[in-house]
Amino acid sequence: MSSSSALLAQLIDALRCLPGIGPRSASRIAYHLLGRDRDGARRLSDALRDAAERVGHCERCRNFSETPLRPVCSDARRSGDTLCVVENPAQLAAIDQATHFRGVYHVLMGRLSPLDGIGPEELGLDRLEERLREGQVRELIIAVSATVEGEVTAHYLNEMARALNIRVTRLAQGVPMGGELEALDSGTLTQAFELRRDY
Amino acid sequence: MSSSSALLAQLIDALRCLPGIGPRSASRIAYHLLGRDRDGARRLSDALRDAAERVGHCERCRNFSETPLRPVCSDARRSGDTLCVVENPAQLAAIDQATHFRGVYHVLMGRLSPLDGIGPEELGLDRLEERLREGQVRELIIAVSATVEGEVTAHYLNEMARALNIRVTRLAQGVPMGGELEALDSGTLTQAFELRRDY
Ligand SMILES: [Zn+2]
Ligand SMILES: [Zn+2]
């Protein structure tokens, strides 16, 4: 498409900022939008601009927010005794919808990954430490993914909270609901076996 | 992410206009852009708006164009004797880069697909017919994909051109360069066998 249109070439190039979109997909998407869905393209343009300009981070929990403080972070009915740390807003939404948790959250917006240059500073963990130092939190629930980076993150958070004499808990690990033993990966199975409990 | 930000929800929804992007991917993309690449989001917003507003179609060949007539369509060095019909701009670019073709193109921007409601009118085939009626074209090269819809399209174009006494050719079909026979699908192999030529 070198010669057809500079604006088209620019659009194809700009689409590459989307994760997982290579040059072929970017061309395909651009042709689709210009050929069949210009309204969608305009709507997406507006939504990108509005979100990029006006969505910031909550001062308290670091989650995306259009206001300095998310409503839930100033909700007096939420107990500040229990703080649940998640990696990202999707995990927060999943826990909030699935459980009856009525405490407060902290969103890391990532996880520790020294190899990728993501350390405590990049995750703003000093802000979390400040929050813990306020003295209200009695239990820190670590709700991170069961991955290597998740483990590194959990280890760091555990050290931080223990130094402040705060109880630390983690989500249980084991056989997922409905999971057939023979279909589990061996890592999960080994862990579930070692963490077995009295009946 | 129900509660976090209306603008974020709006962005996730708008991203669904991209082909192949479901709700999970849309969320992932939105988090990535807002968390790590706001510049990319702004650039994409601008590119989408500019392209949606200013990229139209060439009056002559139907390809995307920012001007009423693409430069290549008013290039006197290009021979109007031979007209190559392709399905989309990507095919045009591929042929233009790979071959020494110096004739002119016509871009269908799709292919006939009666089941999807895409008929001759949707592809603007009346404009192509007008172009053929001008009398300059001596050979119509049909360069469409070797798919069922491509065959339907080729058949229609062949009828149209023959009625105007214009020679019609198609791209050769057979074993692709470097293609190992044992790795070919049986359709290609059968066709290559039936279309065998004298050595
Ligand atoms: Zn907050
Ligand atoms: Zn043209």
Side-chain angles (χ1 to χ4, degrees):
Chain A
M1 276 313 304
S2 45
S3 58
S4 169
S5 156
L7 292 177
L8 179 59
Q10 185 180 295
L11 173 58
I12 292 171
D13 188 58
L15 283 164
R16 300 288 303 282
C17 77
L18 304 178
I21 301 295
R24 284 182 79 105
S25 302
S27 298
R28 196 170 51 86
I29 290 171
Y31 295 147
H32 168 84
L33 291 175
L34 289 180
R36 307 194 177 187
D37 194 10
R38 293 204 181 215
D39 283 346
R42 287 190 195 95
R43 229 174 15 247
L44 179 55
S45 168
D46 291 345
L48 283 164
R49 189 198 53 224
D50 291 349
E53 299 303 333
R54 289 164 49 196
V55 176
H57 292 276
C58 173
E59 285 168 6
R60 191 147 181 84
C61 72
R62 228 177 168 233
N63 198 358
F64 290 123
S65 176
E66 292 165 38
T67 50
L69 214 56
R70 294 178 62 212
V72 76
C73 283
S74 47
D75 181 350
R77 285 165 306 175
R78 291 251 165 188
S79 161
D81 289 359
T82 317
L83 179 73
C84 178
V85 181
V86 295
E87 294 173 1
N88 56 53
Q91 293 180 356
L92 188 158
I95 291 173
D96 215 44
Q97 280 159 28
T99 73
H100 293 103
F101 180 62
R102 296 296 297 160
V104 292
Y105 291 97
H106 191 90
V107 186
L108 298 173
M109 291 288 171
R111 44 196 174 198
L112 290 177
S113 179
L115 290 177
D116 300 316
I118 301 175
E121 209 167 319
E122 281 68 28
L123 294 188
L125 291 185
D126 48 337
R127 292 257 286 282
L128 174 58
E129 192 163 1
E130 270 173 41
R131 208 172 162 187
L132 296 181
R133 278 187 193 285
E134 287 171 10
Q136 203 196 338
V137 177
R138 309 219 162 262
E139 177 184 353
L140 181 76
I141 303 174
I142 301 179
V144 296
S145 296
T147 61
V148 172
E149 293 169 350
E151 287 301 320
V152 172
T153 309
H155 179 78
Y156 190 98
L157 294 175
N158 183 42
E159 301 278 310
M160 177 194 281
R162 291 231 185 256
L164 297 168
N165 287 316
I166 294 169
R167 180 186 170 205
V168 181
T169 57
R170 298 196 57 177
L171 298 198
Q173 295 189 295
V175 182
M177 184 145 8
E180 298 190 74
L181 290 195
E182 64 273 34
L184 289 180
D185 64 289
S186 64
T188 299
L189 195 54
T190 303
Q191 196 161 48
F193 194 82
E194 283 173 1
L195 296 175
R196 67 192 179 276
R197 302 185 306 164
D198 289 315
Y199 196 79
Chain B
M1 275 312 304
S2 44
S3 58
S4 170
S5 157
L7 292 176
L8 179 59
Q10 185 180 294
L11 173 57
I12 291 170
D13 188 59
L15 283 164
R16 300 287 305 281
C17 77
L18 304 179
I21 301 295
R24 283 182 79 104
S25 302
S27 297
R28 199 171 49 87
I29 291 172
Y31 296 148
H32 169 84
L33 291 175
L34 289 181
R36 306 193 177 189
D37 194 10
R38 294 206 180 211
D39 283 347
R42 289 190 194 94
R43 234 179 6 252
L44 179 54
S45 169
D46 291 346
L48 283 163
R49 189 199 52 223
D50 291 350
E53 298 304 332
R54 290 163 50 197
V55 176
H57 292 275
C58 173
E59 286 169 3
R60 191 147 181 83
C61 73
R62 229 178 168 232
N63 198 356
F64 290 123
S65 176
E66 291 164 40
T67 50
L69 215 56
R70 293 178 62 212
V72 76
C73 283
S74 47
D75 181 351
R77 287 165 304 176
R78 291 251 165 186
S79 162
D81 289 1
T82 317
L83 179 72
C84 179
V85 181
V86 295
E87 294 173 1
N88 56 53
Q91 293 179 357
L92 187 158
I95 292 173
D96 215 44
Q97 280 158 29
T99 73
H100 293 102
F101 180 62
R102 298 295 296 159
V104 292
Y105 291 97
H106 190 91
V107 186
L108 298 174
M109 290 288 172
R111 44 196 174 198
L112 290 177
S113 179
L115 290 177
D116 300 315
I118 301 176
E121 208 166 319
E122 280 70 28
L123 294 188
L125 291 184
D126 49 336
R127 293 260 284 282
L128 174 58
E129 191 163 3
E130 272 174 38
R131 209 173 161 185
L132 295 180
R133 279 189 192 283
E134 288 171 10
Q136 204 196 337
V137 177
R138 310 220 162 261
E139 178 185 352
L140 181 77
I141 304 175
I142 300 179
V144 296
S145 296
T147 60
V148 172
E149 292 170 351
E151 286 302 320
V152 172
T153 309
H155 179 78
Y156 190 98
L157 295 175
N158 183 43
E159 301 277 311
M160 176 194 283
R162 292 231 185 256
L164 297 166
N165 286 316
I166 294 169
R167 180 187 170 205
V168 181
T169 57
R170 298 196 58 177
L171 299 199
Q173 295 189 298
V175 182
M177 183 141 16
E180 297 190 75
L181 290 195
E182 64 272 35
L184 290 179
D185 64 288
S186 64
T188 299
L189 195 55
T190 304
Q191 194 162 49
F193 194 82
E194 282 174 1
L195 297 174
R196 66 190 178 278
R197 302 184 307 163
D198 289 315
Y199 194 76

